[in-house]
């Protein structure tokens, strides 16, 4: 705490005393405290100092204009008891980064950035290896694109940089394999008439073919890494033109049928393709291959982009989730853990956050049973109401053309996995509809059913499903005594039932809405016959058969796709007590107050974003706040005094929208890296410490700016990196609405950015209109924060654009409105609608 602070009464988040009024509001907001769970959407508001009695103020946050309502995720539900944790968790949607065990020890690794600080470094001290086993994602996601950016060259230009793929063991089968090289600056292989074979397949090509595959797959490359493991170069090339700051080195991998299955690897420097190589799948299928780059002296390399053609979406419950359900890996993974007393009647169903309306899509779900008893998991598709189908083209502008136009390989394996049991018997369905629209079938009726492997039932007015129930056996030798485990999973629509001999398998869904069919694969082997007659709109589907003592997990196999955002600290929104040195912020004095704040140069009103802050120095255990705020946040004010304050305090206190959501989160210390994931579409924020989630909650809206506040001199942080996460879903599209400078009453004063309107007289009524005009059909959304309320309150609503600003919204002929006391008004008629509102 800085000098000169005077606080009295109960304790605040830092452990210091607060004024009585603020303490009462704080105690009220703490009643809904949760830890490591998604909170209630209703946030407790903390009162601020009183505003002038005769004046009111409201701030426009933004307005959305979209044609369909949004599906609400499972997280919007009352807080429940924390589920029982299971020790085993297998991440399926990883965030790409650098591998400390495989990279040279001399390199400095900070999240997605790697640096060579030494002026003179031996070759073995320059290898940066990514923690990304590429074959898994090529096989299950249809390809992979990695782009590395040269952020800085501290010691001047670098003559050459080598990058590509490396394995942990030799591959003699590739020693004499062919690889296609291209000319420098070209985007296609050398196809000159009469070109000798050597020019096309990696032989000597003269000065016109400088980018040959320099890999030696049987020769070990010594690397001074902590694991003491050597590398074997599989497919590499070297820059020809001198590398400069800002250059991008890219790597694209895609499967292809070229007489035999191959992986096409394309290595490029900026827009120039230097190497294109075909790696036979038969030779590399068992290899663990990782992207690598030689980080020369003074070089700083960061991950600019990591993408796959497979859709990345999150799971949500269309009804409501229970305490038995846990979400993981940024909601791309669902964990189902139950006790011996859990109700075993029904199905826990989840849908994907994206809806497909056309084209071809392919994704994979990894299933795991880490418990003792057998369990059933459904993977497939569910039909969606056309009126509720959002667009699925969010990634259209984000994925490179080489990926978006790539044809996904069709499975040609025989049905069934070798050694696995055949499909379970299927029969007629019962008539009782279970949770989520599934129909349960009694076990006795299933036993009498015939040996069919596919059941087709069409229920009028119900959602149709296509997919497979997979039975995972559980621990070997575990006694199965519960009656539930003898039940056959419910089936509704086109359903297959299969057993797995292992507690781990991957189910791939190949959906083609052009041809109207879908295929399902288990570990690459086709399951039964294709489902036909499919029509858009369709969403991914996932379900767990409820039962006792279940410990199941289903996660989307993908990378957490990243696109570099390049956030910077805004010197115009920075306290004078702070010193800005690039992305490093240091508190150097307390001339202007105890607290000093800096905001980033960009605020988010939609999309999902991630940024990482390193704590370089922490003078006191509770002196740094990391969070988000509105752009009008006072730069020298205590963040604890703000309404809707949202931050992760260094002592482990987390608040979201003014509500304390975690008090026992891990305190971050000097050297720690704090991550913030903001889902501006859903109004949700997640805080992480060194990659581990510490707390999350919903209830924040508006244009939100990343900020850091300091309470002690010599506190120092560094903004390491920032990324956009291109999820496959329809975001809440918010336009930058402002208050109209023309369509307003004379006594309505607007701020310089036209976002805040203040009534300056006692004349009544006074109206200001927004700059967004809604027309046609659709669902529209905008948000207004009531900064301060006068004695007569504020009306907020919608009206015809020709409305007279001297009248009040909701008056006769002036549209619909909601009053701050909870009343609603339409065409001059009032009635009680809800409870009253307060400042904020």
């Amino acid at each position: 705490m800085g000098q000169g602070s005077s606080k009295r009464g109960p304790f605040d988040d830092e452990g210091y005393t607060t004024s009585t009024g603020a303490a009462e509001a704080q105690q009220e907001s703490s009643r809904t405290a949760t830890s490591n769970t998604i909170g209630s959407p209703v946030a407790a508001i903390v009162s601020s100092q009183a505003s002038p009695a005769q004046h009111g103020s409201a701030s426009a946050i933004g307005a959305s204009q979209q044609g369909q309502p949004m599906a609400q995720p499972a997280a919007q539900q009352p807080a429940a008891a924390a589920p029982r944790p299971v020790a085993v968790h297998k991440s399926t949607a990883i965030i790409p980064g650098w591998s400390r065990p495989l990279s040279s020890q001399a390199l400095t690794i900070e999240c997605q950035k790697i640096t060579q600080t030494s002026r003179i470094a031996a070759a073995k001290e320059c290898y940066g290896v990514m923690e990304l086993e590429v074959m898994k994602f090529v096989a299950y996601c249809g390809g992979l694109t990695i782009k590395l950016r040269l952020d800085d060259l501290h010691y001047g230009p670098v003559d050459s940089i080598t990058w590509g793929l490396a394995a942990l063991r030799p591959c003699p089968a590739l020693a004499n394999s062919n690889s296609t090289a291209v000319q420098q600056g070209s985007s296609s292989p050398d196809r000159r008439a009469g070109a000798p074979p050597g020019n096309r397949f990696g032989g000597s090509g003269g000065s016109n073919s400088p980018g040959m595959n320099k890999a030696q797959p049987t020769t070990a490359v010594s690397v001074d890494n902590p694991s003491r493991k050597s590398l074997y170069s599989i497919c590499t090339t070297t820059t020809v033109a001198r590398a400069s700051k800002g250059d991008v080195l890219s790597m694209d991998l895609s499967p292809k049928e070229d007489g035999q299955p191959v992986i096409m690897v394309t290595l490029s420097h900026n827009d120039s393709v230097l190497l294109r190589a075909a790696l036979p799948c038969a030779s590399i299928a068992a290899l663990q291959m990782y992207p690598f780059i030689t980080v020369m002296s003074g070089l700083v390399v960061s991950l600019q982009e990591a993408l796959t053609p497979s859709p990345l979406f999150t799971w949500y419950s269309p009804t409501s989730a229970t305490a038995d359900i846990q979400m993981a890996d940024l909601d791309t993974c669902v964990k189902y853990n139950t006790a011996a007393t859990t109700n075993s009647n029904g199905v826990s169903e989840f849908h994907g956050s994206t809806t497909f309306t056309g084209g071809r899509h392919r994704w994979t779900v990894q299933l795991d049973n880490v418990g003792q008893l057998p369990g059933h998991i459904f993977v497939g598709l569910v039909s969606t109401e056309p009126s509720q189908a959002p667009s699925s083209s969010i990634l259209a502008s984000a994925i490179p053309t080489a990926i978006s136009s790539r044809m996904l390989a069709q499975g040609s394996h025989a049905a069934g996995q070798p050694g696995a049991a055949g499909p379970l018997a299927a029969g007629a369905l019962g008539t009782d509809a279970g949770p989520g629209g599934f129909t349960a079938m009694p076990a006795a009726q299933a036993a009498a059913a015939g040996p069919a492997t596919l059941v087709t039932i069409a229920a009028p007015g119900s959602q149709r499903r296509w997919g497979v129930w997979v039975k995972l056996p559980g621990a070997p030798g575990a006694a199965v005594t519960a009656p539930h485990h003898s039940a056959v999973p419910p089936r509704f629509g086109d359903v297959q039932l299969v057993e797995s001999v292992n507690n781990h398998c991957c189910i791939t869904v190949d959906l083609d809405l052009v041809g109207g069919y879908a295929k399902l694969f288990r570990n690459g082997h086709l399951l039964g016959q294709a489902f036909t007659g499919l029509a858009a709109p369709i969403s991914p589907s996932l379900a767990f058969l409820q039962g006792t003592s279940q410990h199941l997990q289903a996660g989307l196999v993908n990378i957490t796709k990243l696109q570099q955002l390049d956030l910077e600290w805004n010197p115009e929104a920075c306290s004078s007590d702070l010193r800005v040195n690039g992305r490093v912020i240091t508190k150097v004095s307390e001339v202007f107050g105890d607290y000093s704040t800096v905001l980033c140069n960009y605020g988010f009103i939609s999309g999902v974003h991630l940024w990482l802050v390193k704590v370089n120095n922490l003078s006191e255990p509770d002196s740094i706040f990391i969070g988000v705020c509105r752009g009008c946040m006072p730069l020298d004010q205590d963040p604890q005094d703000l309404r809707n304050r949202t931050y992760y305090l260094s002592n482990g206190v987390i608040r979201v929208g003014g509500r304390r959501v975690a008090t026992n989160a891990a305190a971050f210390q000097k050297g720690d890296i704090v991550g913030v994931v903001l889902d501006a579409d859903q109004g949700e924020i997640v805080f992480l410490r060194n990659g581990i989630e510490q707390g999350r909650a919903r209830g924040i809206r508006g244009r939100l700016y990343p900020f850091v506040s300091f309470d002690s001199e010599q506190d120092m942080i560094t903004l390491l990196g920032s990324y956009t996460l291109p999820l496959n879903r329809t975001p809440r599209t918010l336009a930058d609405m402002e208050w109209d400078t023309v369509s307003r009453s004379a006594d309505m004063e607007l701020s310089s950015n036209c976002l805040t309107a203040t009534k300056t007289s006692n004349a009544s009524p006074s109206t200001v209109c927004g700059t967004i005009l809604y027309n046609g059909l659709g669902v529209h959304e905008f948000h207004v924060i009531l900064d301060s309320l006068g004695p007569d309150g504020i009306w907020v609503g919608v009206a015809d654009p020709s409305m007279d600003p001297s009248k009040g919204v909701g008056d006769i002929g002036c549209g619909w409105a909601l009053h701050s006391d909870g009343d609603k008004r339409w065409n001059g008629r009032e009635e009680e609608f809800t409870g009253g509102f307060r400042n904020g």
Side-chain angles (χ1 to χ4, degrees):
M1 186 69 183
Q3 296 179 355
S5 174
S6 60
K7 297 185 178 180
R8 302 178 302 278
F11 293 104
D12 62 5
D13 293 345
E14 295 180 285
Y16 294 92
T17 56
T18 62
S19 61
T20 303
E24 292 175 353
Q26 179 171 301
Q27 292 171 2
E28 175 67 21
S29 67
S30 298
R31 295 176 185 173
T32 57
T34 58
S35 176
N36 291 330
T37 58
I38 300 176
S40 167
V42 181
I45 306 300
V46 178
S47 300
S48 63
Q49 297 178 352
S51 301
Q54 297 295 333
H55 304 276
S57 176
S59 301
I61 297 179
S64 71
Q65 186 169 351
Q66 60 186 43
Q68 302 87 11
M70 292 188 58
Q72 294 299 321
Q76 293 189 350
Q77 55 183 331
R84 292 153 298 281
V86 177
V88 179
H89 170 68
K90 300 179 180 179
S91 293
T92 56
I94 68 170
I95 298 179
W98 299 98
S99 172
R100 180 71 279 175
L102 297 180
S103 300
S104 299
Q105 297 186 81
L107 300 177
T108 300
I109 296 177
E110 293 179 330
C111 302
Q112 281 69 39
K113 183 175 295 185
I114 190 166
T115 307
Q116 176 63 269
T117 57
S118 175
R119 280 187 173 273
I120 301 176
K124 65 180 181 179
E125 299 175 332
C126 298
Y127 284 90
V129 183
M130 296 199 70
E131 195 171 12
L132 189 65
E133 206 282 293
V134 299
M135 284 302 294
K136 175 180 179 179
F137 299 101
V138 172
Y140 287 130
C141 302
L144 177 66
T145 292
I146 297 292
K147 293 185 178 180
L148 305 175
R149 189 178 70 180
L150 310 184
D151 285 345
D152 213 337
L153 295 88
H154 291 304
Y155 305 138
V158 176
D159 290 334
S160 63
I161 300 174
T162 301
W163 79 103
L165 291 175
L168 300 181
R169 62 183 181 85
C171 185
L174 288 180
N176 299 317
S177 65
N178 295 331
S179 61
T180 304
V182 300
Q183 299 180 22
Q184 180 184 6
S186 175
S187 58
S188 59
D190 186 357
R191 301 185 184 278
R192 293 170 295 169
N199 284 350
R200 187 181 177 195
F201 296 114
S204 175
S207 60
N208 290 330
S209 301
M212 296 302 174
N213 189 356
K214 301 179 181 298
Q216 296 179 345
T218 59
T219 303
V221 177
S222 177
V223 181
D224 183 22
N225 56 30
S227 65
R228 302 301 178 187
K229 293 182 178 179
S230 300
L231 298 179
Y232 295 84
S233 57
I234 301 300
C235 182
T236 66
T237 192
T238 302
T239 56
V240 179
R242 174 168 287 185
S244 303
K245 180 179 179 179
D247 283 4
V248 176
L249 307 179
S250 62
M251 177 186 314
D252 181 82
L253 295 89
S254 59
K256 182 181 178 182
E257 289 287 342
D258 189 13
Q260 62 174 334
V262 297
I263 303 298
M264 295 300 302
V265 182
T266 303
L267 304 179
S268 304
H269 180 190
N270 294 332
D271 295 328
S272 299
V273 177
L274 300 185
L275 173 70
R276 183 173 288 121
L279 305 180
C281 291
S283 302
I284 63 173
L287 286 181
Q288 289 181 307
M289 296 191 299
Y290 302 87
F292 81 94
I293 185 173
T294 54
V295 187
M296 312 306 292
S297 297
L299 190 60
V300 181
V301 181
S302 66
L303 176 65
Q304 185 192 42
E305 192 172 88
L307 297 172
T308 67
S310 180
L312 178 65
F313 50 84
T314 57
W315 297 107
Y316 73 95
S317 172
T319 53
S320 62
T322 65
D324 300 323
I325 296 296
Q326 288 179 293
M327 309 300 291
D329 296 339
L330 298 180
D331 296 348
T332 62
C333 179
V334 185
K335 299 164 71 175
Y336 180 58
N337 301 308
T338 66
T341 58
T342 300
N343 179 19
S344 59
N345 182 22
V347 170
S348 295
E349 184 181 8
F350 293 83
H351 292 175
S353 61
T354 185
T355 299
F356 302 113
T357 58
R360 189 172 183 185
H361 314 273
R362 188 170 185 171
W363 64 95
T364 299
V365 179
Q366 178 176 309
L367 310 182
D368 290 282
N369 185 355
V370 296
Q372 298 290 319
L373 300 180
H376 292 81
I377 305 178
F378 174 84
V379 180
L381 302 159
V382 60
S383 62
T384 309
E385 293 295 332
S387 60
Q388 299 179 351
S391 169
S392 61
S393 59
I394 183 173
L395 293 183
S397 61
I399 297 182
T401 305
I403 288 186
S404 60
S405 61
R406 181 181 301 150
M407 295 298 294
L408 298 174
Q410 298 187 17
S412 58
H413 298 283
Q417 179 184 2
L424 295 176
L429 300 183
T431 58
D432 296 331
F438 284 97
T439 302
M441 177 173 60
Q445 185 177 348
T453 60
L454 184 65
V455 177
T456 302
I457 299 292
S462 300
Q463 291 180 311
R464 190 175 179 185
R465 291 171 177 79
W466 304 263
V468 59
W469 278 102
V470 181
K471 181 180 179 181
L472 303 173
V480 181
T481 58
H484 165 69
H485 294 291
S486 63
V488 175
R491 289 160 295 177
F492 195 83
D494 298 349
V495 179
Q496 300 176 25
L497 299 101
V498 298
E499 287 189 4
S500 174
V501 295
N502 299 316
N503 284 315
H504 165 86
C505 70
C506 290
I507 302 296
T508 300
V509 181
D510 186 0
L511 171 65
D512 188 342
L513 288 175
V514 177
Y517 70 87
K519 295 180 180 179
L520 275 76
F521 301 82
R522 178 179 57 185
N523 298 336
H525 298 269
L526 182 65
L527 288 173
Q529 57 187 354
F531 300 112
T532 59
L534 279 70
I538 286 178
S539 293
S541 180
L542 181 70
F544 298 89
L545 182 63
Q546 295 179 2
T548 59
S549 302
Q550 295 285 284
H551 299 291
L552 305 173
Q553 175 181 312
L556 193 65
V557 178
N558 211 323
I559 61 173
T560 302
K561 302 178 184 182
L562 302 175
Q563 291 179 309
Q564 205 159 43
L565 195 56
D566 285 334
L567 284 178
E568 301 285 349
W569 299 118
N570 184 1
E572 303 298 325
C574 179
S575 171
S576 300
D577 286 332
L578 299 178
R579 181 174 63 201
V580 181
N581 183 13
R583 296 185 177 184
V584 180
I585 301 291
T586 308
K587 183 175 174 66
V588 295
S589 70
E590 293 186 349
V591 174
F592 294 90
D594 293 337
Y595 296 90
S596 305
T597 299
V598 60
L599 276 62
C600 277
N601 59 341
Y602 189 79
F604 305 108
I605 205 168
S606 63
V608 183
H609 312 280
L610 162 70
W611 59 96
L612 303 158
V613 177
K614 181 179 181 180
V615 182
N616 301 98
N617 190 56
L618 183 66
S619 301
E620 297 184 23
D622 51 7
S623 61
I624 294 183
F625 303 75
I626 299 175
V628 296
C629 67
R630 296 177 61 198
C632 57
M633 176 179 178
L635 299 179
D636 299 306
Q637 183 176 346
D638 184 352
Q640 298 169 103
D641 294 339
L642 301 177
R643 303 182 307 272
N644 299 325
R645 56 194 186 278
T646 299
Y647 55 71
Y648 180 8
L649 182 56
S650 52
N651 65 1
V653 173
I654 295 179
R655 284 189 180 270
V656 175
R659 176 170 46 92
R660 184 178 290 193
V661 299
T663 56
N664 58 350
F668 57 82
Q669 303 170 354
K670 178 180 178 180
D672 285 348
I673 295 175
V674 177
V676 184
V677 179
L678 173 66
D679 186 344
D681 297 324
Q682 305 292 346
E684 181 179 7
I685 193 168
V686 182
F687 291 103
L688 307 103
R689 172 183 172 268
N690 297 330
I692 299 175
E693 182 176 325
Q694 300 299 321
R696 66 161 70 187
R698 297 189 173 212
I700 53 176
R701 292 293 189 185
R703 183 173 290 280
L704 301 171
Y705 291 79
F707 84 90
V708 177
S709 284
F710 305 86
D711 185 20
S712 300
E713 288 189 58
Q714 303 309 314
D715 285 345
M716 180 190 299
I717 59 91
T718 301
L719 180 62
L720 291 180
S722 53
Y723 293 89
T724 291
L725 280 61
L727 292 178
N728 233 71
R729 72 180 189 195
T730 300
R732 190 184 83 237
T733 305
L734 288 175
D736 286 334
M737 187 182 82
E738 301 174 352
W739 296 124
D740 196 331
T741 57
V742 176
S743 183
R744 63 187 174 104
S745 301
D747 62 346
M748 294 295 287
E749 181 178 300
L750 303 184
S751 62
S752 58
N753 56 9
C754 296
L755 295 179
T756 301
T758 304
K759 182 176 172 61
T760 59
S761 74
N762 293 329
S764 181
S766 301
T767 299
V768 61
C769 297
T771 55
I772 298 295
L773 176 64
Y774 299 127
N775 50 33
L777 302 176
V779 177
H780 312 286
E781 175 183 351
F782 67 94
H783 300 270
V784 175
I785 289 182
L786 308 182
D787 292 323
S788 62
L789 290 174
D792 296 329
I794 296 178
W795 289 98
V796 179
V798 293
D800 189 273
S802 61
M803 172 189 168
D804 184 358
S806 64
K807 296 183 179 181
V809 61
D811 285 344
I812 298 177
C814 296
W816 301 259
L818 179 67
H819 195 265
S820 54
D821 63 8
D823 294 341
K824 65 178 180 180
R825 182 166 64 175
W826 167 69
N827 202 29
R829 300 170 54 188
E830 293 187 22
E831 60 180 288
E832 185 176 347
F833 179 64
T834 184
F837 304 146
R838 294 179 291 173
N839 288 350

